[in-house]
Coordinates of all heavy atoms in Angstrom, one line a residue:
W176 N -46.0 -74.5 -13.1 CA -45.4 -73.6 -12.1 C -44.3 -72.8 -12.8 O -43.1 -73.2 -12.8 CB -44.8 -74.4 -10.9 CG -45.9 -74.9 -10.1 CD1 -46.5 -76.1 -10.0 CD2 -46.7 -74.1 -9.1 NE1 -47.5 -76.2 -9.1 CE2 -47.6 -74.9 -8.6 CE3 -46.6 -72.8 -8.7 CZ2 -48.5 -74.5 -7.6 CZ3 -47.5 -72.3 -7.8 CH2 -48.4 -73.2 -7.2
T177 N -44.6 -71.6 -13.3 CA -43.7 -70.7 -13.8 C -43.0 -69.9 -12.7 O -43.5 -69.9 -11.6 CB -44.4 -69.7 -14.8 OG1 -45.3 -68.9 -14.0 CG2 -45.1 -70.4 -15.9
S178 N -42.0 -69.2 -13.0 CA -41.3 -68.3 -12.0 C -42.3 -67.3 -11.4 O -42.3 -67.1 -10.2 CB -40.1 -67.6 -12.6 OG -39.1 -68.5 -13.0
E179 N -43.1 -66.7 -12.3 CA -44.1 -65.7 -11.9 C -45.1 -66.4 -10.9 O -45.4 -65.8 -9.8 CB -44.8 -65.2 -13.0 CG -45.9 -64.1 -12.6 CD -46.8 -63.7 -13.8 OE1 -46.4 -63.9 -14.9 OE2 -47.8 -63.1 -13.5
K180 N -45.6 -67.5 -11.2 CA -46.5 -68.2 -10.3 C -45.9 -68.6 -8.9 O -46.5 -68.4 -7.9 CB -47.2 -69.4 -10.9 CG -48.2 -69.0 -12.0 CD -48.8 -70.2 -12.7 CE -49.7 -69.8 -13.8 NZ -50.2 -70.9 -14.6
C181 N -44.7 -69.1 -9.0 CA -43.9 -69.4 -7.7 C -43.7 -68.1 -6.9 O -44.0 -68.2 -5.7 CB -42.6 -70.0 -8.1 SG -42.7 -71.7 -8.7
N182 N -43.3 -67.0 -7.5 CA -43.2 -65.8 -6.8 C -44.4 -65.3 -6.2 O -44.5 -64.9 -5.0 CB -42.6 -64.7 -7.7 CG -41.1 -65.0 -8.1 OD1 -40.4 -65.8 -7.4 ND2 -40.7 -64.4 -9.2
R183 N -45.5 -65.4 -6.9 CA -46.8 -65.0 -6.3 C -47.2 -65.9 -5.1 O -47.8 -65.4 -4.2 CB -47.9 -65.1 -7.4 CG -47.8 -63.9 -8.4 CD -48.9 -63.8 -9.5 NE -50.1 -64.5 -9.2 CZ -50.8 -65.2 -10.1 NH1 -50.4 -65.3 -11.4 NH2 -51.9 -65.7 -9.8
L184 N -46.9 -67.2 -5.2 CA -47.2 -68.1 -4.1 C -46.4 -67.7 -2.9 O -47.0 -67.6 -1.8 CB -47.0 -69.5 -4.5 CG -47.1 -70.5 -3.4 CD1 -48.6 -70.6 -2.9 CD2 -46.6 -71.9 -3.8
Y185 N -45.1 -67.5 -3.1 CA -44.3 -67.1 -1.9 C -44.6 -65.8 -1.4 O -44.6 -65.6 -0.2 CB -42.8 -67.2 -2.3 CG -42.2 -68.6 -2.4 CD1 -41.8 -69.2 -3.5 CD2 -42.1 -69.3 -1.2 CE1 -41.3 -70.5 -3.6 CE2 -41.6 -70.6 -1.2 CZ -41.2 -71.2 -2.4 OH -40.8 -72.4 -2.4
D186 N -44.9 -64.8 -2.2 CA -45.3 -63.5 -1.8 C -46.6 -63.6 -0.9 O -46.8 -62.9 0.1 CB -45.6 -62.5 -2.9 CG -44.3 -62.0 -3.6 OD1 -43.2 -62.2 -3.0 OD2 -44.3 -61.5 -4.7
Y187 N -47.5 -64.4 -1.4 CA -48.8 -64.6 -0.7 C -48.5 -65.2 0.7 O -49.0 -64.7 1.7 CB -49.8 -65.4 -1.5 CG -51.0 -65.8 -0.7 CD1 -52.0 -64.8 -0.5 CD2 -51.2 -67.0 -0.1 CE1 -53.2 -65.1 0.2 CE2 -52.3 -67.3 0.7 CZ -53.3 -66.4 0.8 OH -54.4 -66.7 1.6
A188 N -47.7 -66.3 0.7 CA -47.4 -67.0 2.0 C -46.7 -66.0 2.9 O -47.0 -66.0 4.1 CB -46.6 -68.2 1.7
A189 N -45.8 -65.2 2.4 CA -45.0 -64.3 3.2 C -45.9 -63.2 3.8 O -45.6 -62.6 4.8 CB -43.9 -63.7 2.5
S190 N -47.0 -62.9 3.1 CA -47.9 -61.8 3.6 C -48.8 -62.2 4.8 O -49.4 -61.4 5.3 CB -48.7 -61.3 2.4 OG -49.7 -62.2 2.1
K191 N -48.8 -63.5 5.1 CA -49.6 -64.0 6.2 C -48.8 -64.2 7.4 O -47.9 -65.2 7.4 CB -50.3 -65.3 5.8 CG -51.1 -65.1 4.5 CD -52.2 -64.2 4.6 CE -53.0 -64.0 3.4 NZ -53.8 -62.8 3.3
P192 N -48.9 -63.4 8.5 CA -48.1 -63.6 9.7 C -48.0 -65.0 10.3 O -47.0 -65.4 10.8 CB -48.7 -62.6 10.6 CG -49.3 -61.6 9.8 CD -49.8 -62.3 8.6
K193 N -49.1 -65.7 10.1 CA -49.2 -67.1 10.7 C -48.2 -68.0 10.0 O -47.9 -69.1 10.5 CB -50.6 -67.6 10.7 CG -51.1 -67.9 9.3 CD -52.5 -68.5 9.3 CE -52.9 -68.9 7.9 NZ -54.1 -69.7 7.8
N194 N -47.8 -67.7 8.8 CA -46.9 -68.5 8.0 C -45.4 -68.3 8.4 O -44.5 -69.0 7.9 CB -47.1 -68.4 6.5 CG -48.4 -68.9 6.1 OD1 -49.0 -69.8 6.7 ND2 -48.9 -68.3 5.0
I195 N -45.1 -67.3 9.2 CA -43.7 -67.0 9.4 C -42.8 -68.1 9.9 O -41.7 -68.3 9.5 CB -43.6 -65.8 10.3 CG1 -42.1 -65.2 10.3 CG2 -43.9 -66.1 11.7 CD1 -42.0 -63.9 11.0
S196 N -43.4 -69.0 10.7 CA -42.6 -70.1 11.3 C -42.4 -71.2 10.3 O -41.6 -72.1 10.5 CB -43.4 -70.7 12.5 OG -44.6 -71.2 12.1
N197 N -42.9 -71.1 9.1 CA -42.7 -72.1 8.0 C -41.4 -71.8 7.2 O -41.0 -72.6 6.5 CB -43.9 -72.2 7.1 CG -45.1 -72.7 7.8 OD1 -45.0 -73.5 8.7 ND2 -46.3 -72.3 7.3
F198 N -40.9 -70.6 7.3 CA -39.8 -70.2 6.5 C -38.5 -70.7 7.1 O -38.2 -70.6 8.3 CB -39.8 -68.7 6.3 CG -40.8 -68.2 5.4 CD1 -42.1 -67.8 5.9 CD2 -40.6 -68.2 4.0 CE1 -43.1 -67.4 5.0 CE2 -41.6 -67.8 3.2 CZ -42.9 -67.4 3.7
F199 N -37.6 -71.2 6.2 CA -36.3 -71.8 6.6 C -35.5 -70.8 7.4 O -35.0 -71.2 8.5 CB -35.6 -72.2 5.3 CG -34.2 -72.8 5.6 CD1 -34.1 -74.1 6.1 CD2 -33.1 -72.0 5.4 CE1 -32.8 -74.6 6.3 CE2 -31.8 -72.5 5.6 CZ -31.7 -73.8 6.1
G200 N -35.3 -69.6 7.0 CA -34.5 -68.6 7.7 C -35.0 -68.3 9.0 O -34.2 -68.1 10.0
Y201 N -36.3 -68.3 9.2 CA -36.9 -68.1 10.5 C -36.6 -69.3 11.5 O -36.3 -69.1 12.6 CB -38.4 -67.9 10.4 CG -39.1 -67.6 11.7 CD1 -39.1 -66.3 12.2 CD2 -39.7 -68.6 12.4 CE1 -39.8 -66.0 13.4 CE2 -40.3 -68.3 13.6 CZ -40.4 -67.1 14.1 OH -41.0 -66.8 15.3
Q202 N -36.7 -70.5 10.9 CA -36.5 -71.7 11.8 C -35.1 -71.9 12.2 O -34.9 -72.3 13.4 CB -37.0 -72.9 11.0 CG -38.5 -73.0 10.8 CD -38.9 -74.2 9.9 OE1 -38.0 -75.0 9.5 NE2 -40.2 -74.3 9.7
V203 N -34.1 -71.7 11.3 CA -32.8 -72.1 11.6 C -31.8 -70.9 11.4 O -30.5 -71.2 11.5 CB -32.3 -73.3 10.8 CG1 -33.2 -74.5 11.1 CG2 -32.4 -73.0 9.3
G204 N -32.2 -69.7 11.2 CA -31.3 -68.6 10.9 C -30.3 -68.4 12.0 O -29.1 -68.2 11.7
E205 N -30.7 -68.4 13.3 CA -29.7 -68.2 14.3 C -28.6 -69.3 14.4 O -27.5 -69.0 14.5 CB -30.5 -68.2 15.7 CG -29.6 -67.7 16.8 CD -30.4 -67.5 18.1 OE1 -31.7 -67.5 18.1 OE2 -29.8 -67.4 19.2
A206 N -29.0 -70.5 14.1 CA -28.1 -71.7 14.1 C -27.1 -71.5 12.9 O -25.9 -71.9 13.0 CB -28.8 -73.0 14.0
I207 N -27.6 -71.1 11.8 CA -26.7 -70.9 10.6 C -25.7 -69.8 10.9 O -24.5 -70.0 10.6 CB -27.6 -70.5 9.4 CG1 -28.4 -71.7 8.9 CG2 -26.7 -70.0 8.2 CD1 -29.4 -71.4 7.8
V208 N -26.1 -68.7 11.5 CA -25.1 -67.7 11.9 C -24.1 -68.2 12.8 O -22.9 -68.0 12.7 CB -25.8 -66.4 12.4 CG1 -24.8 -65.4 12.9 CG2 -26.7 -65.8 11.4
H209 N -24.5 -69.0 13.8 CA -23.6 -69.6 14.8 C -22.6 -70.5 14.1 O -21.4 -70.5 14.4 CB -24.4 -70.3 15.9 CG -23.6 -71.0 16.9 ND1 -22.8 -70.3 17.9 CD2 -23.3 -72.3 17.2 CE1 -22.2 -71.1 18.6 NE2 -22.4 -72.3 18.2
F210 N -23.1 -71.4 13.2 CA -22.3 -72.3 12.4 C -21.2 -71.5 11.7 O -20.1 -71.9 11.7 CB -23.2 -73.1 11.5 CG -22.5 -74.1 10.6 CD1 -22.2 -75.3 11.1 CD2 -22.1 -73.7 9.3 CE1 -21.6 -76.2 10.2 CE2 -21.5 -74.6 8.5 CZ -21.2 -75.9 9.0
C211 N -21.7 -70.4 11.0 CA -20.7 -69.6 10.2 C -19.7 -69.0 11.1 O -18.5 -68.9 10.7 CB -21.5 -68.6 9.4 SG -22.5 -69.2 8.1
E212 N -20.1 -68.5 12.2 CA -19.1 -67.9 13.2 C -18.1 -68.9 13.6 O -16.9 -68.5 13.8 CB -19.8 -67.3 14.4 CG -20.6 -66.0 14.1 CD -21.4 -65.5 15.3 OE1 -22.0 -66.3 16.0 OE2 -21.3 -64.3 15.5
Y213 N -18.5 -70.1 13.8 CA -17.6 -71.2 14.3 C -16.6 -71.5 13.2 O -15.4 -71.7 13.5 CB -18.4 -72.4 14.7 CG -17.6 -73.5 15.2 CD1 -17.1 -73.5 16.6 CD2 -17.2 -74.6 14.4 CE1 -16.4 -74.5 17.1 CE2 -16.4 -75.6 14.9 CZ -16.0 -75.6 16.3 OH -15.2 -76.6 16.8
F214 N -17.0 -71.6 12.0 CA -16.1 -72.1 10.9 C -15.4 -71.0 10.1 O -14.5 -71.3 9.4 CB -16.9 -73.0 9.9 CG -17.1 -74.4 10.5 CD1 -18.4 -74.7 11.0 CD2 -16.1 -75.3 10.6 CE1 -18.6 -75.9 11.6 CE2 -16.3 -76.6 11.2 CZ -17.6 -76.9 11.6
V215 N -15.8 -69.8 10.3 CA -15.2 -68.6 9.6 C -14.7 -67.7 10.6 O -15.4 -66.9 11.2 CB -16.2 -67.9 8.6 CG1 -15.5 -66.8 7.9 CG2 -16.8 -68.9 7.7
P216 N -13.4 -67.8 11.0 CA -12.8 -67.1 12.1 C -13.0 -65.6 12.0 O -13.2 -64.9 13.0 CB -11.4 -67.5 12.1 CG -11.2 -68.6 11.2 CD -12.4 -68.7 10.3
D217 N -12.9 -65.0 10.8 CA -12.9 -63.6 10.6 C -14.2 -63.2 9.9 O -14.1 -62.3 9.0 CB -11.7 -63.2 9.8 CG -11.4 -61.7 9.9 OD1 -11.8 -61.1 10.9 OD2 -10.7 -61.2 9.1
I218 N -15.3 -63.7 10.3 CA -16.6 -63.5 9.6 C -17.0 -62.0 9.6 O -17.7 -61.6 8.7 CB -17.7 -64.4 10.1 CG1 -18.8 -64.4 9.1 CG2 -18.1 -64.0 11.5 CD1 -19.8 -65.5 9.3
K219 N -16.6 -61.3 10.5 CA -17.0 -59.8 10.6 C -16.4 -59.1 9.4 O -16.8 -58.0 9.1 CB -16.6 -59.2 11.9 CG -17.2 -59.9 13.1 CD -18.3 -59.1 13.7 CE -18.7 -59.8 15.0 NZ -20.1 -59.7 15.3
N220 N -15.3 -59.6 8.8 CA -14.7 -58.9 7.7 C -15.1 -59.6 6.3 O -14.5 -59.3 5.3 CB -13.2 -58.9 7.8 CG -12.8 -58.0 8.9 OD1 -13.3 -56.9 9.1 ND2 -11.8 -58.5 9.8
C221 N -16.1 -60.5 6.4 CA -16.6 -61.1 5.2 C -17.8 -60.5 4.7 O -18.4 -59.7 5.4 CB -16.9 -62.6 5.5 SG -15.5 -63.6 5.9
N222 N -18.2 -60.8 3.4 CA -19.5 -60.4 2.9 C -20.3 -61.6 2.6 O -19.9 -62.4 1.8 CB -19.2 -59.6 1.6 CG -18.5 -58.3 1.8 OD1 -19.0 -57.5 2.6 ND2 -17.4 -58.0 1.2
V223 N -21.4 -61.7 3.3 CA -22.3 -62.9 3.1 C -23.4 -62.6 2.1 O -23.9 -61.4 2.1 CB -22.9 -63.2 4.5 CG1 -23.9 -64.4 4.4 CG2 -21.8 -63.5 5.5

């Protein structure tokens, strides 16, 4: 598993709409933003 092979695998998986629900950001992205807003009072002035 070289970097190139891993990238090809992820690119392939990402190109299939049925796989979208398997991605971490898709599953918990909204909760992560909520968590960040709670703990970083001035998040609108931050760079994430």
Side-chain angles (χ1 to χ4, degrees):
W176 287 103
T177 63
S178 294
E179 178 187 345
K180 287 179 183 173
C181 289
N182 290 339
R183 285 181 24 217
L184 174 65
Y185 282 113
D186 287 346
Y187 173 78
S190 73
K191 305 298 178 199
K193 68 178 183 169
N194 292 333
I195 193 170
S196 63
N197 294 329
F198 287 93
F199 177 78
Y201 180 85
Q202 292 176 357
V203 297
E205 190 174 346
I207 290 172
V208 174
H209 180 71
F210 179 86
C211 291
E212 287 177 315
Y213 182 80
F214 285 102
V215 181
D217 198 20
I218 196 165
K219 300 260 188 211
N220 291 317
C221 293
N222 293 306
V223 176

